[in-house]
Amino acid sequence: MGPPRPLAHPSAAGCGSKSAPSASKEVNGTLVKQWVYQDALKPAAELDGTGHLVSTFIYGSNPNLPDYMLRSGNRYRILADQLGSPRMVINVDNATDVPWEATYTASSTELLNYSGLVQRSRYTATLALTVISR
């Protein structure tokens, strides 16, 4: 994947300057996704490969996991268990739209994963790194 590349439009996410922490994903040398972080653990926005805003993450009750994700005109609530581990993502305006849900073993192994959302770590907000593939 290589080192993170500078964001094409960091101000599009409303997240500050080019010095803001960022990460990117490339496929066969082509930039496909970018993330802008509020700090080392908190993704603030997801951008596509051209720098257009895809998702925004809103924090409140948990310092390391967003409470909400705004994407494609939808508001998603990210629900966590008592340890702060993400358990479910649900559309605020349509409770039947549950694009991601997880169950864990005692050793933090994820057992369920729906609709293209991938959780990379139980202990940080990196759930947001690969969100709803629609």
Side-chain angles (χ1 to χ4, degrees), residues 92-112:
V92 171
D93 299 314
N94 176 3
T96 62
D97 181 12
V98 180
W100 184 84
E101 184 175 359
T103 302
Y104 302 95
T105 65
S107 62
S108 302
T109 304
E110 181 184 357
L111 298 178
L112 300 176

Side-chain angles (χ1 to χ4, degrees), residues 36-52:
V36 178
Y37 285 77
Q38 292 178 21
D39 61 30
L41 294 177
K42 293 182 184 174
E46 175 188 6
L47 309 176
D48 66 15
T50 62
H52 292 98

Side-chain angles (χ1 to χ4, degrees), residues 21-96:
S22 64
S24 62
K25 177 182 177 183
E26 292 183 1
V27 175
N28 297 324
T30 302
L31 183 65
V32 294
K33 288 186 186 268
Q34 304 172 79
W35 295 272
V36 178
Y37 285 77
Q38 292 178 21
D39 61 30
L41 294 177
K42 293 182 184 174
E46 175 188 6
L47 309 176
D48 66 15
T50 62
H52 292 98
L53 184 64
V54 174
S55 302
T56 303
F57 304 98
I58 301 168
Y59 294 81
S61 64
N62 186 324
N64 294 319
L65 183 73
D67 287 317
Y68 293 93
M69 174 180 63
L70 307 177
R71 184 183 180 107
S72 302
N74 294 309
R75 294 178 300 156
Y76 294 94
R77 178 75 166 104
I78 302 171
L79 303 173
D81 63 16
Q82 72 279 8
L83 299 175
S85 302
R87 292 294 183 151
M88 180 183 292
V89 175
I90 187 167
N91 188 326
V92 171
D93 299 314
N94 176 3
T96 62

